[in-house]
Amino acid sequence: MPAAFQAEFADKGILKIVFDYQERSVNLLNEATLTELDGLITELADSAEIRAAYVVSGKADNFCAGAEVAEIRKISSQEDAFKKSRIGQQLFQRWSQLPFPTLLVIDGSCMGGATEWALASTFRFCGDRREVGIGLPEIKLGVIPGWGGSVRLPNLIGLRNALKMILTGDAVTGPKAYRMGLVDKLVPASILDDSALRFLRDILENGDKKVLQRRRQVRGRRGFLETSIIGRNLVQRRAYKEVSKRTRLEYPAPFEAIKTVKFGRENDLEDALMYEARKFAVLAASKVSRNLVRTWFLIDRSRKMRGVGNEVREAAKTPIEKVGIFGAGTVGGAIAVMCGEADIPVRLKDVQHDPLAKTIERARDRFQERIAGRKLSEREAELKADRISPTTDDSGFSRVDLLIEATQEDAGIKEDALHSGDRLTPEKTIVATTSSTYGVDALARHVRQPHLFAGIHLPTPVNNNPIVEIVKGVNTSPQTLATLFQLALNWKKFPIVVKDKPGYLVNRLLMPYLSEAMTILSSGVQVEHIDLAMQQFGFEQGPLRFLDEMGLDIAMRIFNAVQKEYPARFPENETLFAMLNYQRAGRKSGKGFYEYHPYKKPAVRRKLYKELQIKSNKHMPVLEIQERLLYVMINEAAYCLQEGIVPHSEDVDLASIFSIGFPPFHGGLLGYADSEGIEKIAGRLRIFAESLDERQRYLPSPYLIRMVESGKLFYSRQMPQPSEVPQNL
Amino acid sequence: MSKEVVIVDGIRTPFCKIGGALKGVSAYNLGKVVVRELLERTELPAQEVDELVVGNFLQTLDATNVARAIARKAGIPPEIPAYTVQRYGGSGMQAITSAFLSIRNGNIATAIAAGAESISNYPLLFQDRFSDWYEQYQAAPGWLGRMRQLSRFSLSALKPAPAVETTMLDYVDRKSIGESSEVWANRHHINREAQDQYAALSHRRAVLAVESGLIADEVAPVFPQGEKTAVLNDDSIRRGQAFDVIKDMPPLFDADFGRVTAGNSAPLCDGAASLLLMTASRARTLGMSPLATIRGFAYVGVAPSDTAIGPAFAAVRALENANMSFSDIQLCELHESTSAVVLANEQVFANKDFVEATFGKSSVLGAIPRNRLNVNGGAISLGHSFGASGVRMVMSLMREMDRRNRSTGLAMMAIAGGQAGAIVLERR
């Protein structure tokens, strides 16, 4: 195995270490590289020739992605976590105590453990490229930086900056890192290597006065809040309050992070590191962190196209250089905006100008937000919006690589659109429909090449739902699926390939959940009570509020489509009818289950119960509400797996977290089901079936019964194959 | 070996009066619409364009060399160069002829010639009085000096000078084209009624062109920021009895004896237009069917007081360059800066004695029948957008030649400050 670290003298006494981990496309700190680094440090410490050393990365846009997440996942207990934290801490401690100055040259992304390494170095440089990002994303995995980062960062960049970096987990850009004193120099990328050498020579000849002076200057700018004990206490209290407001108590990491930072400021290094390791251990071994790590792997799995089968993953993807869209309605418009954002030119056709204007306006608004968030400059945002080229005629489609049919849900219109698509686009163009009512296979006879035809479904809310469902028809080719999958990734979405059946995946999961909420409502339980029960479970919004946001008319349409296919499990939903009868279509119409006013909090009025003819005096235990809503959803997920809507439980979990708002700290719907126990779930469902009307709705699915009989779990049935184990960060 | 240069197609935005529907749309955004849409409608991939030339009268302050901004916004790859040209109201025509020359000489094979102007977004300037005062204030020694300077300040110095009023004048005699056409009209007894009648004719023709769908065909919609719908229509065209309205309008320049009014001169507009030019052989390779071939062009200079009749001089020179005689020309566009300009040139073209005396030969020009001149209206009814007007006019001429199945056409315009330009087109 070639070494990950190559050291050679770049000049007399100045050692250059190149970090290039051959096994992966990015550098990682895992058992192998850490052991090697350990050996290297020992060697360096013994050498008499070395007067200074600097580290660069051998990868193009990456310095090091930090600790390997798979190793975090392997943590078995608190003791194990503590040990791992101590090993890293001691390693970097030894690095910081080398008898000569060290310099880390960061010209790419530098995350987690790597940032902690940088903090333990004497000096840090970074390149001025856009690819440079320095961050401590541990909080996103439910832990805190555990290799000395929680202690060293505040010492270097001050309390407020450090807390912000650790609590948000967001990376900072090169210029920002320089401003806050995280790096000592910001250097044009092209001369990084040379200037690192020159810098070290200068240090050896003239000492480090200048650098320390700058650090003092930056520190001096921080003022009273940072320099005095009272100020620091104020900052900490503020941070605690802020975090309490934003974070649910289920996530302990932010609170522990604040405590660790505080402890680090008040105690000496060794004690602080010990404290950090203990805190890290408790968090890393907790269920919450495990579930967040799981969620991370779900995302990673989607990004790397695992779980779609080899045939699709390895299929040749058509590069999408131009997209054509028919129909600038909600869905067509949303797709146009996503394409613009991904810098893909779009020809957007509609029969009228108004929806085109609306789409362009929406794109401008969206990119304006990104300007406000400093993600884009004004001109860059403008250029993205300019990628959307609106038209009411047929021109501009002769060179599209992908045509998306997003016209109204009307058989005749769709048929015409697909025919004219065939006429206007070249042979090789992939065609996709966004129809949720007419399936891909039903429409496939109107396209000339069914193997180049598939569906794209954006679950509601279409404009910011992270999930994109890619609908596979009987004839859809792997190349077509792979191309659309990649496109969805370019849109920064998580694609899921689903089978062509009404409701696909997301709506299949959503409908039983939402209609069960309405059933409980009509049995006399109050709206707030139902919503609160689910919020207590961890959902951001209760199901009825979710319905309001989604729009009840849209819910009705989806419900009807699903009902037609599965009438036994989805009987007529009278509440939904009644709601629409009273013009309660949800937030957009001013009232749904709640009533909305521009300046008031949404509230439920008595009139709602009168209109729905509900007494609203029944009490139902919170646990029962949670069980009914979640278990019918789990049951439906089992049906989906049985029908092969999606092949893997991971797909269901990804969809449940990102499209339905299932709390990630529970680890996804089916991960949660496993931890609850399949037998318990099936048993409760049977009890519901016996005690409630419409027993068909609750009966456990054959799939679930089989699982109980064979004693299997959603995740044991398909223990990840070695090749399927996601590996790096 | 000079190449044959063809115009494949053209397109424009609606022309809307200053402060009208396009007031929030900058010149580069207008230009973007016509360039991007031209590429879409001709189905030409952007990387096939070799150069973008844009006529723009007053440089957009946040995007000087507006052509480059337009190219980037329209999705033309950064490798393809772009530059901006300026010849007053003839800037658009200059863009066409500059692109034409590069292609004819074989430097490039394909170019987009466009014009874009957002007069609504012209800056307001400080008067010289104010800038002098400000300079002295800055230079004043000590606070006492500053106080003294402050005491010399007069509020009236803050009166802004709109760039649109000061920039379109001749360098020496400080006259706009409207004023110089008035001078000419007075000298040659072109009366107010004839001018107003001509303006009304322009409006009638434009209304017909709108009704027959000609205009909609050549217009690309613009989607201004913050608006709920597209801007689709020119807003200067007067429907109904235009003459009755125009005849009572007050003179613009000379309150007592003036004849040029807002009604019989071109309203200033925001707008953009573009043409796709390439060698004939390139068009054949790409399977495109061009609308016209450029046979020749000319620009001339005349005494600033003769600006109005400049087009006659330009026409003679352009026809000479194209090796054609005036009798071959079947369709004409003469830019309607004012009615007076059109009427003055009609007189000159038809005046055999004058033509003979001036050019040595009476046959180089001749009377232009009204049914061959500006047949779909012109700048008086459609509006005048400095950078874009020349392009719009050539596009209208070319499209009408195609529609009427005419094989030759002549587009002419007077340019402020004593210049004029003309382009000869042929349809093969």
Side-chain angles (χ1 to χ4, degrees):
Chain A
M1 195 180 77
F5 296 95
Q6 303 279 355
E8 57 173 25
F9 281 100
D11 193 8
K12 207 163 167 277
I14 299 180
L15 192 72
K16 174 183 179 180
I17 301 167
V18 180
F19 185 12
D20 193 354
Y21 185 39
Q22 302 291 334
E23 311 284 297
R24 304 285 160 72
S25 57
V26 294
N27 286 329
L28 285 172
L29 297 174
N30 57 14
E31 219 177 311
T33 49
L34 285 174
T35 314
E36 210 187 310
L37 185 59
D38 188 66
L40 183 73
I41 294 175
T42 313
E43 250 176 71
L44 297 184
D46 294 343
S47 162
E49 287 163 72
I50 304 170
R51 298 179 59 216
Y54 67 103
V55 186
V56 299
S57 162
K59 310 284 187 199
D61 294 328
N62 161 269
F63 176 75
C64 172
E68 183 158 15
V69 182
E71 299 209 350
I72 300 178
R73 173 135 93 169
K74 273 193 239 149
I75 287 171
S76 55
S77 63
Q78 286 194 17
E79 291 74 45
D80 186 31
F82 180 74
K83 215 170 76 198
K84 280 185 169 151
S85 167
R86 289 299 288 168
I87 290 174
Q89 283 182 350
Q90 280 157 3
L91 185 72
F92 291 155
Q93 188 68 357
R94 283 173 56 215
W95 173 264
S96 71
Q97 285 161 356
L98 283 172
F100 50 81
T102 51
L103 163 68
L104 245 62
V105 179
I106 301 165
D107 188 28
S109 73
C110 173
M111 293 294 148
T115 305
E116 302 182 274
W117 182 17
L119 291 169
S121 306
T122 328
F123 308 109
R124 289 149 295 276
F125 268 24
C126 78
D128 63 350
R129 296 191 298 153
R130 202 166 260 220
E131 286 79 6
V132 172
I134 305 174
L136 289 166
E138 283 85 350
I139 208 90
K140 294 178 180 170
L141 299 179
V143 293
I144 58 169
W147 285 344
S150 307
V151 179
R152 288 201 177 94
L153 189 65
N155 286 334
L156 187 65
I157 65 171
L159 211 50
R160 276 174 298 176
N161 287 332
L163 281 174
K164 199 171 163 205
M165 270 184 79
I166 294 174
L167 293 178
T168 61
D170 293 338
V172 294
T173 60
K176 183 94 191 278
Y178 180 68
R179 267 202 307 281
M180 57 167 66
L182 180 54
V183 295
D184 297 307
K185 274 197 175 14
L186 180 71
V187 187
S190 52
I191 56 163
L192 257 178
D193 204 45
D194 189 44
S195 40
L197 201 57
R198 279 222 316 262
F199 173 80
L200 286 178
R201 261 191 230 131
D202 187 51
I203 294 281
L204 292 178
E205 276 167 33
N206 306 322
D208 52 6
K209 240 200 242 142
K210 265 190 271 173
V211 183
L212 295 186
Q213 197 184 350
R214 173 168 193 273
R215 285 192 195 167
R216 266 200 305 278
Q217 267 175 8
V218 174
R219 207 173 301 146
R221 261 184 254 141
R222 287 184 206 131
F224 162 78
L225 283 177
E226 301 273 349
T227 45
S228 66
I229 298 178
I230 304 174
R232 283 203 294 273
N233 273 328
L234 268 174
V235 169
Q236 272 146 5
R237 225 175 299 155
R238 264 273 300 284
Y240 219 88
K241 235 165 134 183
E242 280 283 303
V243 170
S244 320
K245 240 191 287 170
R246 276 188 293 124
T247 320
R248 302 181 60 94
L249 289 172
E250 282 88 345
Y251 298 103
F255 301 102
E256 300 297 339
I258 296 173
K259 280 188 213 153
T260 312
V261 167
K262 184 178 154 91
F263 191 90
R265 292 291 306 212
E266 290 161 2
N267 294 277
D268 64 31
L269 186 63
E270 192 41 47
D271 288 350
L273 288 177
M274 203 60 156
Y275 187 87
E276 180 193 80
R278 278 207 301 276
K279 287 289 178 200
F280 173 82
V282 174
L283 291 170
S286 71
K287 212 169 151 190
V288 171
S289 167
R290 265 153 206 273
N291 283 332
L292 291 177
V293 170
R294 265 184 57 120
T295 308
W296 186 91
F297 274 106
L298 288 175
I299 293 172
D300 190 58
R301 176 177 173 274
S302 171
R303 282 203 186 126
K304 300 219 169 102
M305 281 183 86
R306 290 200 198 92
V308 289
N310 286 338
E311 209 190 356
V312 174
R313 186 169 56 241
E314 278 149 27
K317 302 172 194 84
T318 314
I320 301 289
E321 271 154 25
K322 187 175 179 186
V323 172
I325 301 175
F326 286 165
T330 322
V331 176
I335 294 178
V337 175
M338 292 193 294
C339 286
E341 198 162 3
D343 296 317
I344 305 168
V346 196
R347 186 66 163 165
L348 177 63
K349 186 196 161 174
D350 201 287
V351 284
Q352 285 168 337
H353 285 104
D354 290 15
L356 294 172
K358 212 169 140 194
T359 302
I360 292 171
E361 205 50 30
R362 199 189 299 145
R364 285 178 184 141
D365 287 349
R366 179 169 175 87
F367 303 148
Q368 207 62 44
E369 281 167 25
R370 299 203 46 202
I371 298 172
R374 302 211 183 151
K375 295 272 193 288
L376 283 177
S377 78
E378 207 162 310
R379 294 268 157 107
E380 283 168 334
E382 215 182 275
L383 235 55
K384 282 180 190 291
D386 289 336
R387 295 285 71 79
I388 303 172
S389 152
T391 182
T392 50
D393 65 24
D394 281 344
S395 64
F397 288 92
S398 74
R399 235 167 284 275
V400 300
D401 301 301
L402 168 67
L403 180 74
I404 295 172
E405 179 281 314
T407 53
Q408 292 169 37
E409 292 287 331
D410 174 294
I413 294 177
K414 291 219 175 272
E415 207 174 299
D416 286 349
L418 289 172
H419 284 306
S420 64
D422 274 359
R423 185 167 45 80
L424 296 173
T425 61
E427 282 274 291
K428 61 173 180 33
T429 300
I430 291 175
V431 182
T433 176
T434 61
S435 170
S436 51
T437 326
Y438 307 95
V440 170
D441 291 327
L443 291 171
R445 63 197 160 88
H446 301 301
V447 298
R448 83 204 131 179
Q449 300 191 85
H451 71 280
L452 295 181
F453 183 57
I456 291 180
H457 181 242
L458 310 184
T460 49
V462 292
N463 283 315
N464 39 23
N465 196 318
I467 299 285
V468 170
E469 291 176 302
I470 294 166
V471 189
K472 177 179 186 269
V474 181
N475 295 311
T476 310
S477 73
Q479 285 85 349
T480 304
L481 289 177
T483 303
L484 293 177
F485 202 101
Q486 185 58 50
L487 178 68
L489 288 178
N490 293 351
W491 289 340
K492 305 256 176 345
K493 302 275 168 181
F494 307 132
I496 299 176
V497 176
V498 296
K499 206 161 144 184
D500 182 21
K501 279 194 114 181
Y504 308 128
L505 178 64
V506 172
N507 287 342
R508 275 286 289 282
L509 297 177
L510 207 47
M511 281 304 123
Y513 169 68
L514 297 178
S515 49
E516 190 60 23
M518 286 185 274
T519 309
I520 294 176
L521 171 71
S522 61
S523 77
V525 182
Q526 290 188 354
V527 173
E528 297 97 326
H529 192 61
I530 299 171
D531 276 356
L532 199 64
M534 297 323 285
Q535 280 175 308
Q536 280 173 9
F537 180 77
F539 282 87
E540 284 294 317
Q541 273 176 350
L544 298 172
R545 185 65 203 274
F546 188 99
L547 270 165
D548 273 1
E549 296 291 332
M550 174 181 200
L552 277 86
D553 48 340
I554 291 170
M556 186 68 162
R557 218 185 57 217
I558 300 170
F559 187 82
N560 286 341
V562 180
Q563 187 200 33
K564 221 162 106 192
E565 187 78 8
Y566 312 98
R569 289 204 305 285
F570 297 92
E572 291 293 324
N573 192 321
E574 278 155 26
T575 312
L576 207 46
F577 272 114
M579 291 292 286
L580 288 173
N581 260 343
Y582 285 101
Q583 268 84 48
R584 291 179 174 272
R587 192 192 185 114
K588 61 190 169 191
S589 68
K591 57 179 185 176
F593 293 103
Y594 295 79
E595 284 180 31
Y596 299 87
H597 298 280
Y599 307 112
K600 286 190 215 159
K601 269 190 170 172
V604 184
R605 314 252 150 207
R606 304 256 9 129
K607 214 173 142 201
L608 171 82
Y609 301 111
K610 224 183 277 165
E611 285 175 359
L612 294 179
Q613 299 175 343
I614 298 171
K615 290 232 169 63
S616 82
N617 52 6
K618 187 171 157 185
H619 176 75
M620 190 182 278
V622 167
L623 189 67
E624 189 179 338
I625 297 176
Q626 291 176 350
E627 280 184 345
R628 272 178 66 177
L629 292 182
L630 294 171
Y631 292 179
V632 291
M633 188 156 49
I634 292 168
N635 201 24
E636 193 65 29
Y639 276 111
C640 288
L641 288 170
Q642 182 180 333
E643 293 165 28
I645 301 295
V646 288
H648 304 300
S649 305
E650 284 92 337
D651 298 320
V652 175
D653 281 353
L654 188 73
S656 70
I657 291 172
F658 289 102
S659 208
I660 298 175
F662 189 89
F665 62 83
H666 282 301
L669 184 65
L670 297 185
Y672 168 75
D674 278 357
S675 69
E676 283 285 277
I678 307 301
E679 202 166 346
K680 176 188 166 194
I681 293 169
R684 291 294 290 162
L685 283 168
R686 271 201 205 93
I687 292 172
F688 295 150
E690 276 152 33
S691 60
L692 298 164
D693 300 340
E694 297 161 348
R695 73 185 239 113
Q696 278 290 328
R697 287 171 58 175
Y698 303 103
L699 276 183
S701 72
Y703 192 85
L704 218 52
I705 293 170
R706 253 204 334 271
M707 283 175 73
V708 173
E709 282 164 1
S710 57
K712 282 191 173 159
L713 299 171
F714 281 106
Y715 278 90
S716 65
R717 188 176 38 82
Q718 38 179 36
M719 283 304 284
Q721 302 299 307
S723 67
E724 292 268 301
V725 178
Q727 283 160 338
N728 49 12
L729 183 65
Chain B
M1 179 56 198
S2 60
K3 303 267 194 324
E4 184 185 341
V5 182
V6 297
I7 308 176
V8 174
D9 206 351
I11 195 154
R12 69 174 174 99
T13 66
F15 280 20
C16 296
K17 283 189 218 167
I18 306 177
L22 294 179
K23 70 167 183 226
V25 189
S26 56
Y28 45 84
N29 274 319
L30 290 168
K32 163 201 77 186
V33 170
V34 289
V35 172
R36 189 177 66 192
E37 194 62 20
L38 183 66
L39 290 168
E40 298 275 21
R41 295 205 183 177
T42 54
E43 309 279 355
L44 185 77
Q47 60 269 23
E48 297 287 328
V49 179
D50 296 326
E51 192 150 62
L52 174 69
V53 192
V54 176
N56 178 234
F57 174 77
L58 195 68
Q59 298 221 353
T60 315
L61 292 182
D62 58 344
T64 49
N65 189 10
V66 72
R68 183 64 174 166
I70 291 171
R72 294 302 303 280
K73 288 175 71 69
I76 292 180
E79 305 86 77
I80 292 158
Y83 67 99
T84 310
V85 293
Q86 209 272 22
R87 197 196 281 266
Y88 275 46
S91 300
M93 186 177 264
Q94 182 63 47
I96 300 173
T97 53
S98 293
F100 163 73
L101 283 180
S102 294
I103 298 173
R104 194 185 64 171
N105 295 342
N107 279 8
I108 54 173
T110 310
I112 291 179
E117 204 73 44
S118 175
I119 304 178
S120 301
N121 284 308
Y122 279 7
L124 286 176
L125 306 175
F126 282 111
Q127 299 178 46
D128 289 350
R129 252 175 83 197
F130 178 78
S131 33
D132 289 349
W133 175 87
Y134 186 72
E135 221 163 83
Q136 283 168 24
Y137 174 79
Q138 287 285 321
W143 67 272
L144 207 65
R146 291 199 172 201
M147 291 306 283
R148 195 174 300 136
Q149 185 60 17
L150 214 52
S151 71
R152 292 194 193 113
F153 179 74
S154 122
L155 262 183
S156 66
L158 275 179
K159 183 173 175 270
V164 63
E165 283 174 10
T166 54
T167 51
M168 48 190 272
L169 308 177
D170 176 63
Y171 180 70
V172 180
D173 67 9
R174 305 309 285 157
K175 280 199 169 64
S176 71
I177 199 160
E179 283 174 276
S180 56
S181 70
E182 174 124 291
V183 171
W184 182 270
N186 285 338
R187 214 189 306 154
H188 294 271
H189 313 292
I190 301 171
N191 65 32
R192 166 83 189 260
E193 194 190 335
Q195 293 186 35
D196 288 348
Q197 286 290 6
Y198 179 80
L201 174 68
S202 176
H203 284 289
R204 278 201 303 280
R205 287 177 160 177
V207 169
L208 271 176
V210 170
E211 280 166 2
S212 60
L214 287 183
I215 304 273
D217 247 15
E218 64 180 36
V219 168
V222 179
F223 295 86
Q225 185 151 13
E227 296 296 326
K228 289 207 163 58
T229 189
V231 178
L232 293 167
N233 301 313
D234 302 322
D235 67 359
S236 316
I237 304 173
R238 294 174 195 275
R239 283 157 199 281
Q241 291 302 318
F243 180 76
D244 295 345
V245 185
I246 294 168
K247 72 179 197 314
D248 297 327
M249 288 191 171
L252 275 177
F253 305 109
D254 178 344
D256 293 329
F257 307 107
R259 299 167 186 182
V260 173
T261 68
N264 60 35
S265 57
L268 298 186
C269 284
D270 302 327
S274 66
L275 294 174
L276 177 60
L277 275 64
M278 56 177 72
T279 59
S281 62
R282 185 104 189 81
R284 270 194 301 279
T285 322
L286 291 171
M288 300 203 163
S289 34
L291 288 173
T293 302
I294 300 179
R295 282 293 302 267
F297 74 92
Y299 294 99
V300 296
V302 293
S305 58
D306 286 345
T307 305
I309 58 160
F313 292 82
V316 171
R317 189 80 62 79
L319 286 166
E320 209 175 282
N321 289 345
N323 267 328
M324 283 165 74
S325 62
F326 182 73
S327 56
D328 297 334
I329 297 298
Q330 295 167 335
L331 208 57
C332 281
E333 281 283 332
L334 172 53
H335 193 250
E336 297 172 349
S337 315
T338 59
S339 286
V341 168
V342 179
L343 298 175
N345 280 288
E346 276 185 338
Q347 283 185 358
V348 168
F349 271 67
N351 187 338
K352 282 201 170 146
D353 298 341
F354 177 85
V355 173
E356 176 128 26
T358 315
F359 302 107
K361 210 168 132 195
S362 69
S363 64
V364 292
L365 292 175
I368 316 172
R370 277 271 166 97
N371 62 3
R372 290 189 191 176
L373 180 67
N374 297 345
V375 292
N376 293 319
I380 289 174
S381 46
L382 302 175
H384 178 23
S385 180
F386 302 132
S389 275
V391 183
R392 195 229 16 101
M393 188 176 65
V394 171
M395 177 179 70
S396 302
L397 174 65
M398 164 182 93
R399 282 174 172 265
E400 192 59 20
M401 281 164 63
D402 184 57
R403 209 170 71 87
R404 297 194 174 196
N405 202 10
R406 296 284 185 269
S407 57
T408 51
L410 175 65
M412 302 162 276
M413 69 195 307
I415 301 167
Q419 295 195 71
I423 295 185
V424 183
L425 298 183
E426 188 181 8
R427 195 173 138 268
R428 292 190 170 156

